[in-house]
Amino acid sequence: MIRLDKYLADSGFGTRNEVRSLVKSGSVFVNNETIKDFGMKIDPDKDEVIVKGKSVEYNQYEYYMLHKPAGIITASRDKNAKTVVDLIETRKRRDLFPIGRLDKDTEGLLIITNDGQLSHRLLSPNSHVQKTYVAFVSGGLPSDVEFHFKNGIDIGDERLTLPAGLREIESIDALVEEFGDRYIIEKCESLGDSQGNSIINNCRIYEVVLTEGRYHEIKRMFEALGGNVEYLKRYSMGPITLDSQLAPGEYRKLDKEEMKNLLTSK
Ligand code: URA
């Protein structure tokens, strides 16, 4: 059971104060009766709530995948800057947050939800959920760079990084083909390294698979080996893969299959 004002606020009808005024104005019906008591208890499975003639669908949880563009911060709310949650314009719930963090200049998959348990499970250090990234890296790297990723790298923390997968991708065309990402060429063409060289000509491309998430982890791993990450994009997190139909900045709800995989993954 849930209070009517919370039910309406959770369903996107405004703040608690706004929905209370809405109820007091007589625009809200519960089981065909006008209700003016905003504290009334509602059973979302049984009661029918109608606002201004339209039946309300209660969303206890919402789950979205966002193709995060560069330049947007991974936060729920910020006084001065647009956040990844602000990009979910059709959201109903006001309590959405991103699961995990991507740097401001990192692009790619972010899951946005209000399901705290799921977030905890995906981010818990013991879950070792796999995250797949592609990194464009300039500078000299040792020839046994894969060995270092596999065996752990000293990035200045107390412990070495956990074993990570590293695989070189031979060209940007191979990357587009493999990941189905038709947006990445244009993006990379627009980026130059610190010397102004196109990162496409000047970088090696790597797929990186992590099972932990430390601050700036991939950038620090390459830096520790003498490289510099010029561009970073995430393609998957656990069972969820970035939908290649989504342009940077676009989002969609997770579908039934994705939800099943997500909620049943360990
Ligand atoms: N590693 C980084 O360095 N940055 C990210 O955004 C994600 C992983």
Side-chain angles (χ1 to χ4, degrees):
M1 300 291 267
I2 172 169
R3 283 172 60 106
L4 180 57
D5 51 2
K6 177 161 168 44
Y7 181 102
L8 292 170
D10 286 350
S11 303
F13 286 92
T15 61
R16 282 283 178 112
N17 279 340
E18 285 164 352
V19 300
R20 285 175 184 177
S21 306
L22 189 72
V23 175
K24 283 193 258 168
S25 76
S27 312
V28 178
F29 289 71
V30 177
N31 303 328
N32 290 326
E33 260 182 62
T34 321
I35 300 296
K36 297 213 168 166
D37 169 16
F38 52 72
M40 177 184 181
K41 289 280 180 0
I42 301 292
D43 180 345
D45 293 329
K46 291 204 185 115
D47 295 321
E48 188 186 33
V49 179
I50 292 184
V51 178
K52 296 182 182 162
K54 280 211 185 116
S55 182
V56 178
E57 189 198 336
Y58 183 69
N59 297 293
Q60 186 179 9
Y61 294 115
E62 289 190 290
Y63 302 89
Y64 296 94
M65 75 159 72
L66 169 70
H67 186 160
K68 178 192 175 298
I72 303 286
I73 57 168
T74 305
S76 302
R77 239 164 274 119
D78 189 273
K79 267 196 231 122
N80 306 310
K82 197 167 194 176
T83 70
V84 291
V85 169
D86 294 330
L87 295 178
I88 314 293
E89 286 176 352
T90 57
R91 66 190 187 275
K92 298 277 189 292
R93 302 277 318 194
R94 306 172 68 82
D95 51 359
L96 297 184
F97 58 86
I99 299 189
R101 187 171 285 273
L102 292 178
D103 298 336
K104 190 171 176 187
D105 60 352
T106 300
E107 298 197 314
L109 174 70
L110 258 185
I111 299 170
I112 298 194
T113 184
N114 59 326
D115 184 341
Q117 260 186 339
L118 174 69
S119 171
H120 183 73
R121 195 151 54 76
L122 289 179
L123 298 181
S124 150
N126 297 329
S127 305
H128 298 296
V129 168
Q130 284 201 348
K131 285 154 285 185
T132 306
Y133 299 80
V134 165
F136 283 64
V137 186
S138 64
L141 288 170
S143 55
D144 59 350
V145 56
E146 286 89 355
F147 172 89
H148 291 281
F149 270 69
K150 190 163 169 229
N151 287 280
I153 299 171
D154 180 356
I155 57 172
D157 291 347
E158 256 173 40
R159 271 176 291 138
L160 298 184
T161 54
L162 284 183
L166 188 76
R167 176 173 67 93
E168 186 163 2
I169 298 174
E170 69 187 28
S171 65
I172 188 138
D173 293 335
L175 167 62
V176 171
E177 169 123 12
E178 191 177 330
F179 289 81
D181 185 350
R182 58 203 156 98
Y183 301 101
I184 198 161
I185 293 191
E186 203 183 328
K187 172 76 197 179
C188 290
E189 276 172 355
S190 73
L191 294 174
D193 69 9
S194 51
Q195 272 89 48
N197 303 308
S198 158
I199 66 163
I200 294 186
N201 301 324
N202 199 36
C203 289
R204 289 180 159 201
I205 308 172
Y206 291 98
E207 178 195 69
V208 182
V209 181
L210 294 188
T211 57
E212 61 178 345
R214 303 190 202 173
Y215 182 67
H216 290 340
E217 182 161 5
I218 293 177
K219 291 174 182 165
R220 290 159 70 207
M221 289 168 92
F222 280 109
E223 240 163 57
L225 300 174
N228 190 45
V229 173
E230 305 288 350
Y231 176 69
L232 185 62
K233 183 161 191 173
R234 180 158 70 190
Y235 284 96
S236 74
M237 183 172 198
I240 304 299
T241 300
L242 181 64
D243 183 336
S244 60
Q245 298 303 315
L246 295 176
E250 291 184 342
Y251 66 92
R252 68 160 169 80
K253 284 192 169 176
L254 294 185
D255 65 25
K256 281 208 178 106
E257 186 70 17
E258 288 164 338
M259 286 306 309
K260 193 176 111 206
N261 292 338
L262 198 55
L263 297 175
T264 57
S265 65
K266 68 166 183 67

